[in-house]
């Protein structure tokens, strides 16, 4: 429920109960929200929260339902050893590599490997949520330094100054961190897409590592071993221009350093009065920097990245939401088996036998 809708509903309830004849001007109220200097950032954050809380949660649920469609999952997971989940994934399972391998050697039934795989895959999905949270945090901090709305067109500026220092460097670090964190989602989603497509090739009697690691899966438009439906228009793997932009900014920062040599912020004026505060970004064509020989950045297009970024994130997030939803559909389409009580019992007995082996030794 949107904030506007919530207050509108609350107001109507109060009006009905109190017989209040006053009329609240919702058009003025909604316009005031839209005119808020940070409104584009708020819209971005709301979309990212929806992505994490809805689309990603549906993916979790679809994976769970698919992987364990033929057993009573809650019964089995309730007695699964904690090291299957914790070791190598978080600091709470604080054993050594040697101890982990010793435990795993004793867990010979395929049920253990299947759950190890489950947590490996779960970690990739959780990492996407981590990156989403990082982007929201970096955006929140970044827009304390610069605005996301411009009041003037570039040709209206009559003067300006360039400033560089700790404050300006901080802003650039946050900006580039947004690109690095966001583009990381493309790689993580590529790995999950590979896992979905190649799952039938697993033999859990001898699971060692994920297919996406063996394939060295990273985001690229021509990625192999993913379902053809993920290459439909509007999805990540059709090479959308906005995705190329994120990749370009991320790669430039990671491999070549900041794309403004001095990490500056530009403070403009119109007829001596303060105007817009700007971070400029390089000229782009089709999502790539314009280059000439050894020079791979030019600044003739007046790209004001602090103004453009919220729209870029919204467009890219909508693409990611649709892509995640399609992966969820693919898992759902393969969830066709019923619970097998005998298989559940087999798994439970295998886990109990494992615990007995520890006691006997």
């Amino acid at each position: 429920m949107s904030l506007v809708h919530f207050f509108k509903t609350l107001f109507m309830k109060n009006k009905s109960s109190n017989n209040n004849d006053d009329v609240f001007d919702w058009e003025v109220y909604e316009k005031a929200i839209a005119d808020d200097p940070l409104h584009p950032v708020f819209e971005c954050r709301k979309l990212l929260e929806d992505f994490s809380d809805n689309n990603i949660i549906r993916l979790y649920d679809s994976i769970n339902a698919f992987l364990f469609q033929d057993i009573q999952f809650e019964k089995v997971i309730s007695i699964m050893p904690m090291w299957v989940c914790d070791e190598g994934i978080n600091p709470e399972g604080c054993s050594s590599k040697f101890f982990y391998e010793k435990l795993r050697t004793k867990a010979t039934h395929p049920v253990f490997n299947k759950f190890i795989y489950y947590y490996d895959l779960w970690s990739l999905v959780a990492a996407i949520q981590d990156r989403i949270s990082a982007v929201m945090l970096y955006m929140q901090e970044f827009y304390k330094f610069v605005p996301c709305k411009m009041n003037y067109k570039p040709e209206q500026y009559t003067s300006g100054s360039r400033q560089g220092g700790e404050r300006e460097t901080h802003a650039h670090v946050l900006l580039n961190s947004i690109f690095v964190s966001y583009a990381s989602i493309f790689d993580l989603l590529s790995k999950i897409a590979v896992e979905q497509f190649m799952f039938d090739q697993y033999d859990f009697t001898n699971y060692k590592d994920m297919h996406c690691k063996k394939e060295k899966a990273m985001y690229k438009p021509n990625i192999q071993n993913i379902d053809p439906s993920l290459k439909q228009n509007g999805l990540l793997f059709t090479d959308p221009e906005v995705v190329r932009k994120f990749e370009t900014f991320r790669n430039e920062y990671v491999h070549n350093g900041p794309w403004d040599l001095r990490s500056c912020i530009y403070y403009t004026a119109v007829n001596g009065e303060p105007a817009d505060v700007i971070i400029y970004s390089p000229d782009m064509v089709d999502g790539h920097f314009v280059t000439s020989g050894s020079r791979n950045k030019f600044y003739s297009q007046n790209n004001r990245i602090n103004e453009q970024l919220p729209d870029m994130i919204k467009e890219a997030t909508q693409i990611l939401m649709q892509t995640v939803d399609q992966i969820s559909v693919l898992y759902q389409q393969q969830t066709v088996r019923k619970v097998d009580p005998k298989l559940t019992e087999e798994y439970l007995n295998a886990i109990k036998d494992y615990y007995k082996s520890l006691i006997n030794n």
Side-chain angles (χ1 to χ4, degrees):
M1 179 184 292
S2 71
L3 186 64
V4 171
H5 183 70
F6 171 79
F7 281 114
K8 187 181 290 187
T9 304
L10 181 63
F11 174 78
M12 293 306 293
K13 287 180 179 178
N14 289 340
K15 180 178 178 182
S16 175
S17 61
N18 298 330
N19 294 319
N20 189 345
D21 293 328
D22 293 339
V23 177
F24 189 89
D25 194 332
W26 285 104
E27 288 188 8
V28 172
Y29 175 69
E30 290 173 4
K31 184 178 185 302
I33 288 180
D35 290 342
D36 189 297
L38 285 174
H39 181 59
V41 177
F42 296 151
E43 284 190 317
C44 250
R45 184 181 180 92
K46 179 63 169 63
L47 192 64
L48 288 166
E49 287 175 342
D50 285 346
F51 180 34
S52 183
D53 296 343
N54 297 316
N55 306 80
I56 298 297
I57 295 300
R58 279 197 296 273
L59 180 58
Y60 274 125
D61 292 342
S62 299
I63 289 172
N64 281 20
F66 166 73
L67 286 179
F68 304 109
Q69 58 189 292
D70 45 12
I71 66 167
Q72 292 174 285
F73 174 69
E74 295 300 334
K75 276 190 175 182
V76 177
I77 198 172
S78 67
I79 63 169
M80 184 62 62
M82 285 303 298
W83 64 263
V84 174
C85 169
D86 287 340
E87 296 302 339
I89 291 179
N90 66 53
E92 294 175 19
C94 52
S95 68
S96 65
K97 170 181 177 288
F98 173 79
F99 189 66
Y100 168 75
E101 290 179 348
K102 183 178 180 181
L103 291 171
R104 189 166 180 178
T105 300
K106 290 181 174 294
T108 57
H109 193 279
V111 64
F112 296 100
N113 284 335
K114 191 167 187 179
F115 269 82
I116 289 171
Y117 171 78
Y118 164 64
Y119 287 113
D120 288 346
L121 186 56
W122 182 87
S123 296
L124 293 177
V125 183
I128 292 179
Q129 288 183 304
D130 174 80
R131 302 305 190 271
I132 294 170
S133 296
V135 170
M136 290 192 292
L137 175 62
Y138 293 140
M139 280 188 66
Q140 176 181 314
E141 295 302 311
F142 175 65
Y143 282 108
K144 291 179 181 178
F145 292 96
V146 292
C148 61
K149 288 184 177 181
M150 301 292 114
N151 297 313
Y152 298 90
K153 296 180 180 179
E155 59 268 22
Q156 293 179 286
Y157 303 142
T158 56
S159 63
S161 65
R162 180 187 69 208
Q163 294 188 25
E166 183 175 341
R167 174 184 174 84
E168 289 74 21
T169 299
H170 191 176
H172 273 264
V173 168
L174 289 167
L175 176 59
N176 282 298
S177 296
I178 291 171
F179 287 118
V180 171
S181 296
Y182 200 96
S184 176
I185 298 174
F186 308 155
D187 293 329
L188 291 164
L189 204 49
S190 299
K191 293 177 180 182
I192 295 169
V194 168
E195 287 304 312
Q196 185 281 321
F197 185 71
M198 300 186 70
F199 179 81
D200 288 342
Q201 298 182 28
Y202 279 116
D203 175 7
F204 287 110
T205 60
N206 188 31
Y207 171 70
K208 292 184 178 179
D209 212 342
M210 305 180 84
H211 287 309
C212 65
K213 292 184 180 179
K214 297 174 186 176
E215 298 285 323
K216 298 181 179 178
M218 300 289 282
Y219 172 72
K220 49 185 178 292
N222 61 345
I223 187 171
Q224 302 298 310
N225 295 321
I226 67 170
D227 192 272
S229 69
L230 292 174
K231 297 188 178 182
Q232 300 176 63
N233 287 337
L235 302 187
L236 174 63
F237 302 104
T238 57
D239 193 25
E241 182 178 348
V242 69
V243 171
R244 289 199 299 273
K245 287 182 179 180
F246 276 98
E247 288 275 291
T248 297
F249 281 120
R250 187 270 303 269
N251 292 341
E252 182 68 13
Y253 179 65
V254 170
H255 300 298
N256 297 322
W259 32 267
D260 184 330
L261 182 62
R262 299 175 184 84
S263 294
C264 294
I265 295 179
Y266 295 81
Y267 299 84
T268 65
V270 174
N271 298 323
E273 295 296 324
D276 297 323
V277 179
I278 304 166
I279 293 181
Y280 286 105
S281 64
D283 296 351
M284 303 193 88
V285 173
D286 296 328
H288 300 290
F289 291 154
V290 175
T291 65
S292 177
S294 63
R295 297 301 168 93
N296 65 346
K297 291 183 287 291
F298 297 91
Y299 292 85
S300 67
Q301 295 174 350
N302 286 312
N303 291 325
R304 301 178 289 190
I305 191 64
N306 46 313
E307 178 186 40
Q308 296 170 345
L309 182 63
D311 285 338
M312 288 173 57
I313 290 179
K314 284 191 287 185
E315 182 182 352
T317 300
Q318 288 166 347
I319 290 169
L320 293 179
M321 292 168 91
Q322 294 177 57
T323 305
V324 167
D325 283 348
Q326 180 57 26
I327 296 175
S328 296
V329 167
L330 291 170
Y331 276 117
Q332 291 162 12
Q333 289 173 345
Q334 296 184 47
T335 306
V336 294
R337 298 192 300 276
K338 295 181 179 179
V339 171
D340 182 349
K342 291 184 179 179
L343 184 60
T344 301
E345 194 63 26
E346 178 189 330
Y347 283 4
L348 293 172
N349 288 333
I351 299 170
K352 292 173 184 176
D353 289 343
Y354 163 77
Y355 285 122
K356 290 177 183 177
S357 72
L358 295 179
I359 296 172
N360 294 334
N361 290 338

